[in-house]
Amino acid sequence: MTKISDGLTEKYELVVGLEVHVQLSTASKIFSADSAGFGGGPNEHISPVSLGLPGTLPKLNRKVVDYAVRMGLATNCSINSTTHFDRKNYFYADLPKGFQTTQDSQPICVSGYIDLRAGDSTSRIRINRIHMEDDAGKSMHDQDEFDSLIDLNRAGVPLIEIVSEPDIRSAQEAAAYLNEIRKLVRYLEICDGNMEEGSIRCDANISVRLRNSREYGNRCEVKNLNSIRNLQRAIDYEFLRQAKLIDAGGHIDQNTLNFDAETGKTSPLRSKEMANDYRYFPEPDLPPLVIKEEYIKRIAESLPELPAKKMERYTIGFGLSEYDALIISSEKEIALYFDDLSAHVSNYKAAANWVIGPLRSFLNDAGISISDFQVPPKVLAELIGLIDSGKLNYSVAANKVFPELIKNSKQTAAEAASSLQLLIDTEHDELDLIIDEVLESYPDKIKEYQNGKKGVLGLFMGDIMKKSKGKINPQTASKLVIEKLENRT
């Protein structure tokens, strides 16, 4: 940042609230039986209901309610026992009904929060509400030289909108919050979290105020941010733009903004609508939704162990570092594999190192997910056990035995190491013989070592590793070499 931006950072405080739209992974749309799947030919997943034709009636998809309640419970929200839908009236070419069916005065979930951990500190981002609604279609302006084209496949696809309070104070905190939501929806299996396909879209309400001020400034809403990186860039740009304008005596107009990913700048789309501009009124074609306590309890009991609980178990129960726990818990499938692996080992740190290191590297290089990884956790646990018992060294295990197991996942770790003739015979004196042979070759260097030149130990170890073809535990070998050198006359 420039000197002026540093000064502005000290003088002004950023205030951000996020509206996160999550596309739910249901088979059909929220109010019709049309497919809600991504893709398909233009206007293929449509029906009279999603086209908004006169005389058609919506019917609520029960799975959408299940998913909304799951997310509400996962974010510590209260679930309203009675809720209803409203019509939000505005005109877009790709909104065939002329209104969006959403929830205004009685959303399904209210008053929740998400805790973000950063080292020893925790920040709490309050959630104002989570409500259900249907999506609009898609206007395409680059398909035809003269006309804009409309694809209504997305019209009626189910969404939940997660609206935070203005508790976010930095672009980094906003990124962490959005990443936590993406992690949660994947754990809950209510959304694939794919921002590139629009499964998660984010609007950022950004304002600036003097530090230590209690009043909020006028906010601008940046629409449809489709990546965490772009969210951070838009917030950083808007903070400086607004702070500079206020510092120069200007005024922030409440506008809806677009963010240009190429230039990194925002630009006005339209003057910001107020709630009364939408003319909300209760949806007459859908009855109020009554949610019973037994239903909420049943949903709560079906929830998986969520990332925060896994983090706690990994750090407190397994003694892992917060960094290791965060990496492992960031993806549900990886965490489940680690949980299975940890059930077969006592060395949890070694298990974490294998998952974070060789396993994830292989998945990234192969371009596959953990669900396609064929080596069972029990076999990887056996490989870790061979290392811990001194029958394999880590380098050989990672570079030779692990690839062999990937090629043939039906064999045990011991079988793979034995077939490659890499197992160390800890019951015999093979290592003693190798060490003695190497030391006999360097009588002058032995004297140097005994005279205080400890660096020659690396020479001995290099030869020992070569002669053993890596089939030894370096720590064990080093200890034996030192013992022999100290006792040698």
Side-chain angles (χ1 to χ4, degrees):
M1 284 189 176
T2 63
K3 289 183 179 179
I4 185 171
S5 66
D6 289 338
L8 292 173
T9 301
E10 294 171 2
K11 185 175 180 180
Y12 295 99
E13 180 179 51
L14 171 72
V15 178
V16 177
L18 297 184
E19 300 172 9
V20 182
H21 300 80
V22 175
Q23 181 175 312
L24 301 177
S25 299
T26 57
S28 56
K29 295 181 180 180
I30 185 169
F31 300 122
S32 71
D34 310 348
S35 170
F38 179 79
N43 297 306
E44 184 178 317
H45 301 158
I46 58 174
S47 69
V49 175
S50 54
L51 289 175
L53 298 183
T56 57
L57 292 173
K59 183 178 180 181
L60 179 59
N61 184 338
R62 167 69 177 266
K63 187 67 74 174
V64 175
V65 182
D66 292 350
Y67 286 179
V69 172
R70 284 172 74 84
M71 190 62 183
L73 293 173
T75 52
N76 308 289
C77 287
S78 298
I79 311 301
N80 276 329
S81 58
T82 302
T83 181
H84 68 255
F85 286 92
D86 299 278
R87 290 188 178 184
K88 179 181 180 181
N89 296 273
Y90 60 96
F91 175 78
Y92 281 162
D94 50 20
L95 189 70
K97 295 180 296 184
F99 61 86
Q100 181 184 35
T101 306
T102 184
Q103 295 186 296
D104 177 39
S105 59
Q106 283 187 298
I108 190 167
C109 311
V110 294
S111 303
Y113 63 86
I114 288 178
D115 285 334
L116 304 177
R117 294 176 60 178
D120 295 331
S121 64
T122 300
S123 59
R124 174 162 293 184
I125 310 301
R126 294 171 299 155
I127 292 174
N128 176 282
R129 59 192 283 142
I130 300 175
H131 60 262
M132 302 175 286
E133 60 189 19
D134 57 359
D135 206 350
K138 183 178 180 181
S139 295
M140 294 171 289
H141 310 294
D142 57 355
Q143 305 291 309
D144 186 271
E145 185 177 356
F146 302 104
D147 299 309
S148 290
L149 304 181
I150 295 175
D151 183 0
L152 294 175
N153 280 345
R154 205 172 66 187
V157 165
L159 304 174
I160 54 173
E161 182 174 343
I162 305 161
V163 182
S164 84
E165 298 288 0
D167 292 344
I168 296 168
R169 295 294 177 266
S170 70
Q172 293 73 25
E173 194 171 54
Y177 171 80
L178 184 55
N179 191 57
E180 193 65 24
I181 286 182
R182 186 168 65 171
K183 194 190 303 183
L184 280 173
V185 299
R186 286 174 168 170
Y187 263 78
L188 296 169
E189 298 181 354
I190 64 174
C191 173
D192 62 21
N194 191 330
M195 296 188 75
E196 291 75 18
E197 293 182 359
S199 298
I200 294 182
R201 305 193 294 278
C202 181
D203 301 338
N205 290 291
I206 304 167
S207 64
V208 169
R209 65 183 178 185
L210 287 169
R211 287 201 175 274
N212 302 319
S213 172
R214 305 192 67 175
E215 292 187 12
Y216 295 124
N218 277 352
R219 72 182 188 273
C220 291
E221 182 180 24
V222 184
K223 299 289 287 186
N224 294 327
L225 296 163
N226 61 358
S227 75
I228 291 176
R229 173 65 179 146
N230 283 342
L231 171 65
Q232 290 180 281
R233 293 171 67 204
I235 290 173
D236 283 337
Y237 178 83
E238 265 302 291
F239 170 76
L240 286 180
R241 184 188 75 82
Q242 293 186 26
K244 287 177 182 178
L245 186 57
I246 294 171
D247 208 53
H251 175 77
I252 301 299
D253 294 323
Q254 189 166 322
N255 289 326
T256 298
L257 307 176
N258 177 61
F259 177 71
D260 188 323
E262 290 189 8
T263 65
K265 298 179 180 180
T266 60
S267 58
L269 277 174
R270 57 185 178 273
S271 295
K272 174 64 182 172
E273 303 91 342
M274 302 301 289
N276 55 14
D277 292 332
Y278 292 125
R279 294 178 292 112
Y280 284 103
F281 63 86
E283 169 57 68
D285 293 333
L286 287 166
L289 182 64
V290 178
I291 299 177
K292 296 183 178 179
E293 194 62 38
E294 308 89 81
Y295 167 78
I296 298 173
K297 183 179 179 182
R298 190 165 65 251
I299 295 288
E301 290 172 349
S302 73
L303 296 182
E305 184 182 39
L306 296 174
K309 284 294 182 184
K310 285 192 180 293
M311 284 278 295
E312 184 178 314
R313 180 162 59 85
Y314 294 161
T315 52
I316 298 174
F318 290 175
L320 300 183
S321 69
E322 186 167 302
Y323 173 81
D324 287 352
L326 182 63
I327 294 297
I328 293 169
S329 64
S330 63
E331 295 181 44
K332 182 181 181 182
E333 291 76 15
I334 293 284
L336 292 176
Y337 187 95
F338 175 76
D339 287 344
D340 201 346
L341 175 62
S342 63
H344 300 287
V345 300
S346 56
N347 189 342
Y348 302 121
K349 175 58 178 173
N353 288 343
W354 272 90
V355 170
I356 293 171
L359 194 156
R360 289 180 81 238
S361 292
F362 170 74
L363 297 181
N364 291 335
D365 292 343
I368 62 173
S369 68
I370 189 71
S371 59
D372 298 315
F373 184 64
Q374 296 299 310
V375 180
K378 192 172 182 179
V379 173
L380 184 54
E382 185 188 359
L383 185 60
I384 293 170
L386 290 174
I387 298 168
D388 288 347
S389 66
K391 293 182 178 180
L392 274 178
N393 74 57
Y394 175 81
S395 178
V396 167
N399 296 314
K400 294 184 179 180
V401 182
F402 185 60
E404 181 65 22
L405 289 172
I406 292 171
K407 290 179 188 174
N408 180 8
S409 60
K410 297 189 182 299
Q411 59 187 328
T412 66
E415 288 169 346
S418 180
S419 69
L420 295 170
Q421 299 183 337
L422 295 174
L423 281 177
I424 301 168
D425 188 353
T426 57
E427 302 299 323
H428 296 83
D429 57 357
E430 179 183 358
L431 181 55
D432 271 334
L433 290 173
I434 292 173
I435 292 173
D436 288 340
E437 183 180 341
V438 169
L439 293 181
E440 290 296 332
S441 304
Y442 295 104
D444 294 340
K445 297 297 181 183
I446 292 173
K447 289 180 180 179
E448 289 181 17
Y449 179 89
Q450 292 173 335
N451 289 330
K453 195 174 180 180
K454 305 302 183 184
V456 297
L457 181 62
L459 172 66
F460 301 141
M461 286 301 301
D463 267 19
I464 291 167
M465 294 299 290
K466 285 179 184 177
K467 286 184 178 292
S468 67
K469 298 179 181 178
K471 290 168 49 179
I472 61 169
N473 185 313
Q475 289 77 24
T476 302
S478 179
K479 184 178 178 182
L480 286 173
V481 170
I482 292 171
E483 286 179 3
K484 286 178 179 289
L485 287 169
E486 298 292 342
N487 296 324
R488 203 176 184 93
T489 57

